[in-house]
Amino acid sequence: MNFNATLIGQTITFIVFVWFCMKYIWPPLMAALDERNARISEGLAAAQRGQQDLEDAQVKVSESLNDAKAQAQEIINQAQKRANEIVDEAKDSARGEADKIKLAASADIDQQVTAAREQLRKEVSVIALAGAEQILKREVDAKVHADVLDELVAQI
Amino acid sequence: MAGSYANSGEYIKHHLTNLTYGQHADGSWGIAHGADEIKEMGFWSINLDSMAFSIGLGIFFLWIFHKAAKKASTDAPTGLLNFVEMLVEFIDDSVRGSFSGKNPLVAPLALTIFIWIFLMNLMDLIPVDHIPWLASLVGIPYLKIVPSTDPNITFGMSLSVFALVIYYSIKMKGPGGFFAELAFHPFPKFMMPINLVLEGVTLIAKPVSLALRLFGNLYAGEMIFILIALMYSGGWVLGISGGFLQLGWAIFHILIITLQAFIFMTLTIVYLDMASQTDH
């Protein structure tokens, strides 16, 4: 072990190196590390917030889904009610129409029955007249005996 | 490998001699040949090999880290930056754990000490003969490639740390406070001389132990590598067992060189922390 000026040389070198490290190496590296740490914790916080937001949104979604379901049910109920109403209305109007048609038809039938009866009456009177003519074998003046015939007809 | 030496003692001595530049006894300047000439040169000579490897490794460290520092950004780090950041965070954690005050010097100082000493120690793992043999081809007679086996290097650093300890002791506690710390402990005031001696020894022991611990460990490790290298010239049985020994010792030495760098760094932090504490 012998000491010489290497001691001084090494001391100076050491001081210069430490100074260089302190000025140009440590601060930028530490600054970058600190900044990255801040960024990472920020990112984590943001992720946490995102998670929270997602949960809130899910709650909201299920709420509005339930609302929508209830609304849809209501609409369906209303529609069913309305449909029943329409069917009832249709039934009523159909019944009314049918009644009307029936009424008209029966009136028509009555009319025809009357007409047929009138016709029959006339024909019967003619036949009766012809029968009477043949029985009497003589000409009977229809005009003279019209009142008798009318009486006969009315009895039919 | 020791074939060109007269005997194994010569081989060992040659490997433990620095490449020293200084003034010869006859007044001319030049490279010293042998330990005797180094002794004659006195203090005003310089170990060229220690200085060259020490400065070279220091510049290598600063270059790598400066490259990383320029690339540093808040994006995800890759490759070199990742490695450098890992080391920086490790140092930062150590400093935060041991140093209670706030001082912008301590962390860069610790980083420089740790990486630089680690790199200097790492030279120990290069087989002892390779680089000196290459150097001898270009006419360099002596070469010690591990700067931390040179006490000048280790004391150069520990005395710088010691100067910082004194500086911060006086700055934080005031000259009176610093003196009180040395004079009024551990015994009462009337036993001041004894206190001064005890505390003075404690104070001086800091840089001395710091430097000698590193030097001693690395010097011993280097010595064992040299002894193992000697076995290569003792026939093929000794040679092969020497190979295994070198492998084992090198693997074990990886632990030692890292540990020594870490101890030097941690003790520096602790000493500076003690110097900066005002409530004593």
Side-chain angles (χ1 to χ4, degrees), chain A residues 45-100:
Chain A
Q48 190 88 37
R49 270 202 306 278
Q51 193 82 28
Q52 191 61 46
D53 285 354
L54 182 64
E55 272 167 30
D56 290 353
Q58 266 165 348
V59 168
K60 222 175 265 178
V61 163
S62 68
E63 263 174 25
S64 44
L65 204 61
N66 284 344
D67 279 359
K69 266 184 195 161
Q71 234 164 18
Q73 196 56 49
E74 208 175 309
I75 288 170
I76 288 169
N77 287 346
Q78 270 177 353
Q80 247 158 9
K81 217 166 100 188
R82 181 85 192 106
N84 287 343
E85 275 174 11
I86 288 171
V87 168
D88 284 349
E89 270 171 31
K91 269 184 191 161
D92 283 350
S93 71
R95 209 171 274 138
E97 197 72 23
D99 284 353
K100 237 189 264 173

Side-chain angles (χ1 to χ4, degrees), chain B residues 143-173:
Chain B
L143 193 65
K144 269 176 81 178
I145 63 165
V146 192
S148 43
T149 58
D150 183 348
N152 289 301
I153 296 294
T154 60
F155 270 99
M157 286 194 283
S158 77
L159 289 177
S160 309
V161 171
F162 185 58
L164 281 175
V165 168
I166 303 277
Y167 170 74
Y168 280 112
S169 292
I170 294 175
K171 190 185 167 196
M172 304 300 282
K173 299 165 186 153

Side-chain angles (χ1 to χ4, degrees), chain A residues 85-128:
Chain A
E85 275 174 11
I86 288 171
V87 168
D88 284 349
E89 270 171 31
K91 269 184 191 161
D92 283 350
S93 71
R95 209 171 274 138
E97 197 72 23
D99 284 353
K100 237 189 264 173
I101 288 168
K102 240 193 264 172
L103 219 61
S106 67
D108 208 22
I109 289 168
D110 282 353
Q111 216 177 347
Q112 278 182 11
V113 166
T114 317
R117 194 172 279 162
E118 204 66 36
Q119 182 89 19
L120 199 60
R121 221 176 255 161
K122 274 177 189 159
E123 273 174 23
V124 165
S125 72
V126 171
I127 292 167

Side-chain angles (χ1 to χ4, degrees), chain B residues 257-269:
Chain B
I257 61 176
T258 318
L259 194 65
Q260 287 305 320
F262 179 71
I263 289 173
F264 201 112
M265 177 197 81
T266 306
L267 285 179
T268 301
I269 299 170

